[in-house]
Amino acid sequence: MKPKHKLRQAIDRLYSRGQAATEEAYTQLVLDCTRVNDVELAKRLQSHMDLNFYEPNTTFLHNRLLHFYAKSGKLSYARDLFDKMPLRDIISWNALLSAHARSGSVQDLRALFDKMPIRDSVSYNTAIAGFANKGFSREALQVFSRMQKDRFEPTDYTHVSALNACAQLLDLRRGKQIHGKIVVGNLGGNVFVRNALTDMYAKGGEIDKARWLFDRMNNRNLVSWNLMISGYLKNGQPKKCIDLFQEMQLLGLNPDEVTVSNILGACFQTGRMDDAGRLFHVIKEKDNVCWTTMIVGYTQNGKEEDALILFNEMLSEDVRPDKFSISSVVSSCAKLASLYHGQVVHGKAVVLGVDDDLLVSSALIDMYCKCGVTDDAWTVFNMMPTRNVVSWNSMINGYAQNGQDLEALALYDKLLQENLKPDSFTFVSVLSACIHADLFERGQNHFDSISAVHGITPSLDHYACMINLLGRSSHVDKAVDLIKSLPHKPNSLIWSTLLSVCAMKGDIKHGEMAARRLFELEPKNAGPYIMLSNMYAACGRWEDVASIRSSMRSKNVKKFAAYSWIEIDNKVHKFVSEDRTHPETEIIYEELSRLIKKLQEAGFSPNTKLVLHDTQEEEKVKSICYHSEKLALAYCLIKKPHGVTPIRIMKNIRVCGDCHLFMKFASDIIGRTIILRDSNRFHHFVGGNCSCKDNW
């Protein structure tokens, strides 16, 4: 017969007799309950004592029950027993204090500690550990100081809790004081104390001191290695993190999930994605943290499709995703502009009950906006029980990027009405909305308010927005003056913004100046070379075009490929200009030719002036008619000829003027909404019009 079943029968017999047992019998049964770890049987045994008005002669029996309740996290049981106890001693008080430290509120823990008629070192240790474990580190250190004033000697256990509190507060000064007392008292031999010291120095930024302590530990355990590896990672030294892991392996030590999660993070920080993948797949037992670290790593390193695949594997292994893994996968869907997968993950978040989480909700808003579905983003935003500035920023930026500039500015006004403080990113979105809505004065007012009203120092991102706003408003000279007066050294963002507006306005003089700066800052970036070359070509300066191309060849500057992609039936199809690699190339070109003919009948004419090559007219027509986004549109019309949902196309660079006009005509002729996301913004083409109002 199993011990637990035998114990249950013994307690049943007590109830059948209808009278109290002896103290020896009760004591043995309480010990048996703790031995089989069944707190409910212990509670039933206590109920039998209460029913029979049994009161033990000493505190031993009740104290054993109190400790068991505390250890089991049954605060209400412990409180009930304590209140009924006829006799109490310091052990009784400490047991109840332990129950509050494990399961109660910080306020109740503090109140009980202050209420205790007497205290010993156990009382102090319990309170200090309770406060520290609940994240109330200042309170833990206050009790630590009080303990010393009351002339109780701290133990190793005390020092570990106090050092953990210093680590949480990043209070190196206090931590070093405690370290000094440990050294003076010759109390530093315990591995737990050494680990706490290593962790405190690592979190406080003195990683070399942490390593010095680690190297002098004679009795390191797995926690010691994990703390040191984690310390290197948190201090921005991922290579040393990996080196220490390799040293650990040479010693034959087996890593656990904590080790692996840290090493995965180090691999991603050093760009060793393949090593991260190999390490992850050799682990037999992976916890939630390992899966999440891997998914986050893929998302942050441009491996969005791998993140989605891994998320599906995680679900198939019955591992429950948390808010971090869900939000990372949603971010991957946003980068891929994959509405279908984003909606699937949203549904999973609802099932798991994390859709209301701030992190997840903000990621969902961003995803829907980056898929061009601002109505769904607004629904998520509206249903959030609480919002922070990140949530507001996601929605404001989403409106601005989707051509709903006035909605973005109205939402910003509402943010201020809610007495929320905007941050730096808020103003980037607000200024972007002003740029695309041609609201120069309003944009200037918002820029001035950044420092004057909200006390934020304008960043280069804000100045870049103002340069864009000035340039688009035909004030290129003022934009150049602003650059000259910048409090910071202009970076590539500033100069590329100026070059872009110069290209838009045909300002060769200032465009050349901006391009030269970019050649110095980013010598291998093909963008400035191509943009300046296009400016020369637009005004027929073919010798200068040839000179730019020659310079690119001599400096080995590679032009990046422009491409578009479209998702149909959960599969992504990618196209480049004049692409003939797709297995259905012939019918794609036939469909596109039919569409071009329909558009020409409606008044569309290819704008060959935008073909910036010195070639024959026929070649120019061929070049511009088969741009990647047009091929993507034709393919969608083949596969979904009678679709009613918007056609979504993504492009990795700015859409050209001819393709923009083409999409406007196409949206009217085929009677369907076309949403094109380029590198600048979203273009919603509906009935022959675009949401950007031809200002992009």
Side-chain angles (χ1 to χ4, degrees), residues 190-340:
N190 185 297
V191 67
F192 300 107
V193 175
R194 292 249 176 180
N195 284 345
L197 283 166
T198 302
D199 186 47
M200 186 268 296
Y201 280 110
K203 284 179 178 172
E206 292 195 10
I207 191 66
D208 292 337
K209 179 68 174 178
R211 183 60 190 260
W212 186 88
L213 286 165
F214 175 81
D215 288 340
R216 282 153 184 77
M217 288 174 67
N218 297 320
N219 50 350
R220 298 176 198 144
N221 57 16
L222 185 57
V223 174
S224 314
W225 288 87
N226 283 345
L227 288 171
M228 197 64 234
I229 288 170
S230 172
Y232 275 132
L233 188 64
K234 289 172 182 173
N235 280 272
Q237 298 184 32
K239 188 178 180 304
K240 288 189 176 181
C241 178
I242 294 169
D243 291 342
L244 192 61
F245 174 63
Q246 291 170 342
E247 185 182 329
M248 178 182 173
Q249 288 181 304
L250 288 172
L251 292 172
L253 295 169
N254 293 320
D256 63 4
E257 291 90 345
V258 175
T259 325
V260 171
S261 294
N262 283 315
I263 298 304
L264 289 175
C267 287
F268 284 121
Q269 284 187 21
T270 53
R272 297 164 67 168
M273 263 84 78
D274 292 339
D275 288 344
R278 280 191 291 271
L279 175 61
F280 180 79
H281 285 104
V282 298
I283 307 165
K284 291 182 180 178
E285 293 186 10
K286 309 175 184 79
D287 65 359
N288 186 287
V289 177
C290 284
W291 285 95
T292 300
T293 303
M294 200 69 191
I295 290 169
V296 171
Y298 276 148
T299 301
Q300 293 177 346
N301 284 273
K303 296 242 179 192
E304 292 83 12
E305 291 180 1
D306 290 331
L308 285 173
I309 291 168
L310 199 63
F311 182 69
N312 286 329
E313 286 181 24
M314 182 182 188
L315 296 178
S316 66
E317 294 282 339
D318 290 328
V319 180
R320 181 184 174 88
D322 60 14
K323 62 182 180 180
F324 300 106
S325 50
I326 290 284
S327 61
S328 291
V329 175
V330 171
S331 295
S332 289
C333 296
K335 290 177 183 177
L336 293 170
S338 178
L339 180 60
Y340 169 78

Side-chain angles (χ1 to χ4, degrees), residues 660-673:
H660 191 270
L661 183 61
F662 181 93
M663 295 295 173
K664 286 169 69 175
F665 270 89
S667 68
D668 189 35
I669 296 300
I670 65 177
R672 292 175 66 179
T673 298

Side-chain angles (χ1 to χ4, degrees), residues 462-641:
H462 301 133
Y463 283 107
C465 288
M466 278 309 298
I467 291 162
N468 199 337
L469 192 58
L470 285 164
R472 285 171 181 262
S473 304
S474 300
H475 297 298
V476 176
D477 288 338
K478 289 184 179 179
V480 173
D481 290 340
L482 179 60
I483 293 173
K484 290 177 180 177
S485 67
L486 285 179
H488 317 283
K489 185 177 179 180
N491 62 4
S492 57
L493 174 64
I494 296 294
W495 293 116
S496 60
T497 303
L498 179 63
L499 179 58
S500 179
V501 294
C502 287
M504 194 180 300
K505 298 297 179 180
D507 188 331
I508 295 286
K509 175 188 170 184
H510 291 119
E512 287 176 329
M513 177 185 73
R516 282 195 298 269
R517 299 285 187 170
L518 288 166
F519 296 160
E520 295 170 4
L521 290 169
E522 299 179 338
K524 294 298 182 182
N525 182 2
Y529 291 92
I530 294 166
M531 194 171 288
L532 184 59
S533 173
N534 289 347
M535 289 174 71
Y536 287 144
C539 55
R541 292 171 56 172
W542 300 111
E543 289 184 5
D544 290 323
V545 171
S547 175
I548 290 288
R549 291 177 180 171
S550 174
S551 178
M552 288 177 71
R553 283 193 297 272
S554 65
K555 295 176 182 177
N556 197 29
V557 177
K558 302 294 184 183
K559 181 181 176 181
F560 54 86
Y563 59 88
S564 299
W565 71 98
I566 188 166
E567 185 177 352
I568 297 174
D569 294 331
N570 310 328
K571 186 177 179 182
V572 174
H573 299 266
K574 185 176 173 182
F575 299 91
V576 296
S577 184
E578 300 182 60
D579 197 341
R580 290 193 172 272
T581 61
H582 197 281
E584 298 178 74
T585 291
E586 293 305 320
I587 59 172
I588 291 172
Y589 275 79
E590 288 173 9
E591 179 64 27
L592 183 53
S593 296
R594 279 195 295 270
L595 181 60
I596 291 171
K597 186 176 179 181
K598 284 184 181 179
L599 267 55
Q600 286 175 326
E601 290 171 356
F604 171 75
S605 178
N607 187 357
T608 54
K609 290 181 180 178
L610 295 173
V611 180
L612 303 174
H613 301 285
D614 192 12
T615 59
Q616 297 298 316
E617 185 69 15
E618 185 179 339
E619 287 299 314
K620 288 184 177 182
V621 171
K622 181 181 176 183
S623 172
I624 204 162
C625 282
Y626 301 122
H627 278 186
S628 59
E629 53 266 64
K630 292 170 182 169
L631 294 172
L633 175 61
Y635 187 64
C636 181
L637 294 176
I638 293 166
K639 294 298 178 182
K640 303 288 182 181

